[in-house]
Amino acid sequence: VEVTHVSYKTIKIHLNNQNLIRLELAQIELNEILVAANPLQDISQSVVINDTEKRISQPRSVGHLFKEIKGFGITKKGAYASEPVFRAFKYEQLNIQYDGGMKVLNACPNRMDPITTHVIPEEIEKIEIVKGPFTVRFGQNFGGIINLVSKNPTKGKHGFHGSLEGGYESNGNNLVTGASALYVTDQFDVHLNGSYRDFGDYKDGNGTKVPASFKTTDYSLKIGINPTEKQRLQLSWRQSFGRDIDHAGLPMDSPFDDSFLAGIDYKINAISQKIASFSVKVFHSYVDHLMTNEGRPSFKMTGASSPVESWTTGGKIELVLAPSENARIYTGIDANLIDRAGDRTRIVKIMNGTMLPTPKTFVDKIWQDASLNDVGVFAEGNFKIADNTSLTAGVRADFIATSLNDPAPDFETLYGGSIEDETEVNVSANVSIKYQKNGFQTQLAIGRGIRTASMIERYINHFTVGVDPYEYVGNPNLKPEINNQIELSFLKKFETIEIGASVFHSFLEDYISAIVNTTIPRKFMPTTPPVFAKQFINLDKASQTGAEFSFNVKSSDNLTFTSDVSYTKAENKDFDEPLAHIPPFMAN
């Protein structure tokens, strides 16, 4: 008999009375963090969204791919930049990564350049989502993990393949083009991908012209080498170039937004009977972003320019142990080292309505040359405790170190005259149980996720980084915020119908928010309301509760009906303010 499977090597055997046929994997996966339908590799309360590029027409960025995913909204900072919001969590509360661990972090304090703007939407094959702090293997996990998985070259047939695509929209004269080329052999593969986007200003429903134009040029290169059938080495390089980016919601625009990301992955499978695999990942990314007001009316009075930079270096080493057929233990160490720098230069030409004979120059420290380093160690085990039941448990420790190398004098004065380096040790844990039989699956998961305060929350100094006109002031004394989350979910698959539901609740401790501090006056244009700044603080208690429901009907091979409903209620126990600016009820 000959046995074949799309992901395994073909095998021929002679049948006897009873045979146990073991198949050997035909490819080594590097980019995924979730494995479907394997109780010893699946992550609790997780979901995979496939064919993301087919879910929305000509997305402006990867952020738009989340529009139709259950439980998600997006925050838009203009037409160019958008980021996902999951339930009531956003920004650093979500661990957004690319290809299983690589990151590109924003350099702009207004988040006009998040990771979703540095990746080609058509390059994304699927989006993997962990819906809470239910795994410890992929860095700090407070509100969930989002893994943007690019297309895997090894899944293509041998030989040369390529594609060309393009699109046009009349409202804005938007042009999208792309091309890819792939060559695959048993020993190596090469994948080259490129895209060019030219979006113009569009008209809204009232006919008002919205400044939203931008141009982006992106390309990526992956080279894979297979030294043996059990090993794979992959080198990846990508660059993104943004030009002439208009931001309707900000007083400044971006002449350019450039970035690169370089990564090396290595993995070896089936080392021995007790060692399932060993993998190493190393990456480095850089963002060079400029904001100016040269094209705005305010430039006649004050010229402003903010060149900012961000560097991220990180990696991960993971050893997967197989002490028995019913257990997998994942152990490892990972790191994310972040540095940001940049100042804003203001050239004041008119003061109090009078033209100055010699313009005055002021320099405002944006990032104050900040650094935030996180090194984590983890261990997580998956155990098959019965024929239809599996148990997962994990623990993680993050060692945090932060510092300022060029603090602003007024920021130092606000916090006692000096800003000391800070260190933290944060311990997270999770446990979950899953039962599945005859198309029915239920999961109960409990997790404790801890997130250290971000650079903006710690060190921003009188900049409007929120969705309101307030200046925000960081707080280097912030404690890490904690999410204690419990979630129960059900899923039943019939022949043509699939029904799913989940309920969740989060007990939030030391939740990081910003409130108006009447002892901190506005620094720039001090008489313009609001005249006081907002300061980041810890809230003792907050909570989030919600439910999700899905109903899918496959009426034929070519027609599927999908209905999703999600509800989230987030409340603050100390102040009567919402935790996130998202609608509590979303339905498709």
Side-chain angles (χ1 to χ4, degrees):
V1 64
E2 179 179 279
V3 183
T4 63
H5 187 284
V6 67
S7 297
Y8 293 82
K9 295 181 179 179
T10 299
I11 186 173
K12 293 182 180 181
I13 65 168
H14 295 283
L15 291 179
N16 295 315
N17 292 334
Q18 289 186 352
N19 287 94
L20 177 62
I21 304 173
R22 298 185 182 275
L23 300 184
E24 185 177 349
L25 282 170
Q27 57 196 26
I28 298 177
E29 304 287 3
L30 289 176
N31 302 331
E32 289 83 353
I33 64 174
L34 310 179
V35 178
N38 187 328
L40 296 182
Q41 294 176 279
D42 287 353
I43 295 176
S44 181
Q45 305 295 355
S46 59
V47 64
V48 179
I49 309 298
N50 291 296
D51 296 328
T52 54
E53 73 278 2
K54 298 178 183 178
R55 299 174 66 91
I56 184 170
S57 174
Q58 295 185 196
R60 291 172 178 259
S61 71
V62 171
H64 285 75
L65 300 180
F66 292 88
K67 275 187 172 183
E68 299 178 4
I69 300 178
K70 179 176 59 179
F72 278 88
I74 61 171
T75 58
K76 292 184 65 177
K77 296 293 187 71
Y80 173 69
S82 59
E83 290 186 87
V85 175
F86 181 62
R87 296 171 177 171
F89 298 133
K90 58 182 179 179
Y91 304 153
E92 281 82 5
Q93 292 176 330
L94 296 175
N95 183 343
I96 303 177
Q97 49 192 251
Y98 176 67
D99 277 350
M102 294 187 285
K103 294 186 177 183
V104 184
L105 297 185
N106 59 293
C108 176
N110 289 102
R111 306 186 72 89
M112 303 310 303
D113 54 345
I115 185 174
T116 50
T117 63
H118 301 287
V119 180
I120 306 171
E122 291 79 12
E123 191 180 3
I124 300 302
E125 182 178 59
K126 62 183 178 180
I127 299 174
E128 300 176 326
I129 302 162
V130 181
K131 298 182 178 181
F134 304 130
T135 182
V136 295
R137 294 173 49 204
F138 306 100
Q140 291 186 94
N141 183 6
F142 176 79
I145 293 174
I146 298 171
N147 183 35
L148 308 171
V149 181
S150 64
K151 295 176 181 178
N152 189 343
T154 64
K155 292 182 179 179
K157 296 181 180 179
H158 285 191
F160 178 81
H161 310 270
S163 67
L164 292 171
E165 57 188 300
Y168 176 80
E169 295 177 358
S170 60
N171 187 5
N173 295 320
N174 304 328
L175 177 67
V176 176
T177 61
S180 66
L182 171 66
Y183 184 74
V184 179
T185 70
D186 285 334
Q187 288 74 36
F188 73 95
D189 48 81
V190 179
H191 188 197
L192 179 63
N193 200 61
S195 173
Y196 174 75
R197 280 171 155 73
D198 186 352
F199 279 72
D201 301 335
Y202 66 88
K203 290 183 179 180
D204 63 14
N206 295 322
T208 303
K209 188 176 182 179
V210 179
S213 63
F214 65 89
K215 300 180 181 70
T216 60
T217 304
D218 301 76
Y219 78 92
S220 64
L221 175 65
K222 284 185 179 179
I223 300 175
I225 303 170
N226 306 312
T228 66
E229 292 180 346
K230 297 180 179 180
Q231 299 181 72
R232 179 167 175 82
L233 174 67
Q234 182 172 286
L235 311 175
S236 59
W237 169 267
R238 67 173 348 276
Q239 283 188 283
S240 177
F241 305 94
R243 291 293 181 272
D244 304 326
I245 306 166
D246 289 344
H247 302 302
L250 290 178
M252 305 172 77
D253 298 316
S254 300
F256 66 81
D257 175 41
D258 298 341
S259 69
F260 75 78
L261 171 64
I264 302 175
D265 289 270
Y266 171 78
K267 186 173 184 179
I268 179 170
N269 281 334
I271 299 175
S272 69
Q273 187 176 359
K274 300 296 183 181
I275 302 178
S277 67
F278 174 76
S279 60
V280 178
K281 178 187 293 289
V282 179
F283 74 93
H284 178 74
S285 65
Y286 169 71
V287 178
D288 186 11
H289 184 82
L290 175 64
M291 300 281 287
T292 71
N293 69 335
E294 289 186 13
R296 302 297 185 94
S298 60
F299 185 73
K300 297 179 181 179
M301 297 178 289
T302 301
S305 176
S306 301
V308 286
E309 299 171 286
S310 173
W311 299 264
T312 307
T313 302
K316 176 182 176 181
I317 300 174
E318 184 176 69
L319 180 67
V320 183
L321 305 176
S324 71
E325 291 186 355
N326 295 324
R328 289 292 184 276
I329 299 177
Y330 301 84
T331 62
I333 181 171
D334 54 35
N336 278 283
L337 314 177
I338 307 168
D339 293 280
R340 287 187 174 108
D343 300 327
R344 178 178 64 186
T345 301
R346 292 178 295 125
I347 302 176
V348 179
K349 309 168 188 177
I350 299 176
M351 185 174 292
N352 298 325
T354 303
M355 179 71 72
L356 298 177
T358 303
K360 293 186 177 181
T361 300
F362 301 90
V363 177
D364 312 313
K365 299 180 186 298
I366 297 177
W367 291 117
Q368 306 182 72
D369 285 353
S371 66
L372 193 159
N373 299 327
D374 174 17
V375 177
V377 294
F378 62 87
E380 185 168 287
N382 290 359
F383 309 94
K384 187 177 180 181
I385 57 178
D387 287 342
N388 303 303
T389 306
S390 59
L391 175 72
T392 299
V395 64
R396 174 184 180 88
D398 284 282
F399 301 88
I400 310 294
T402 68
S403 63
L404 281 184
N405 297 316
D406 186 23
D410 62 323
F411 193 73
E412 285 187 309
T413 300
L414 180 63
Y415 292 103
S418 65
I419 307 296
E420 302 295 333
D421 295 351
E422 297 287 340
T423 59
E424 296 172 0
V425 179
N426 302 325
V427 178
S428 306
N430 64 281
V431 62
S432 60
I433 189 168
K434 179 191 295 185
Y435 174 84
Q436 50 188 357
K437 184 178 182 181
N438 299 330
F440 173 76
Q441 175 180 285
T442 182
Q443 300 178 74
L444 176 64
I446 301 173
R448 177 181 174 88
I450 304 181
R451 179 188 73 90
T452 192
S454 68
M455 280 188 181
I456 288 179
E457 294 161 341
R458 290 175 183 270
Y459 300 134
I460 202 68
N461 187 27
H462 287 274
F463 279 85
T464 53
V465 297
V467 294
D468 50 36
Y470 283 93
E471 292 180 351
Y472 281 70
V473 178
N475 184 351
N477 301 321
L478 287 173
K479 293 181 286 186
E481 60 181 1
I482 303 170
N483 177 20
N484 303 295
Q485 184 172 333
I486 181 170
E487 184 154 353
L488 177 65
S489 65
F490 304 90
L491 179 67
K492 176 61 178 177
K493 294 182 179 180
F494 300 93
E495 186 174 349
T496 60
I497 298 175
E498 180 180 293
I499 301 174
S502 64
V503 292
F504 58 89
H505 183 79
S506 290
F507 304 89
L508 305 173
E509 303 175 53
D510 294 321
Y511 188 88
I512 297 174
S513 185
I515 64 168
V516 177
N517 189 332
T518 56
T519 66
I520 304 178
R522 186 185 185 103
K523 181 178 180 180
F524 306 109
M525 296 187 293
T527 60
T528 302
V531 296
F532 299 108
K534 278 189 173 182
Q535 182 185 33
F536 286 100
I537 65 167
N538 288 110
L539 306 178
D540 288 340
K541 295 179 181 179
S543 67
Q544 177 181 238
T545 304
E548 296 175 352
F549 175 79
S550 63
F551 180 76
N552 304 321
V553 179
K554 186 177 181 180
S555 56
S556 70
D557 290 339
N558 300 315
L559 181 62
T560 301
F561 172 78
T562 300
S563 177
D564 296 323
V565 177
S566 63
Y567 174 82
T568 301
K569 179 182 180 182
E571 58 182 348
N572 181 333
K573 302 298 185 182
D574 292 351
F575 302 94
D576 188 19
E577 295 180 1
L579 295 185
H581 299 276
I582 62 170
F585 181 85
M586 293 180 288
N588 295 321

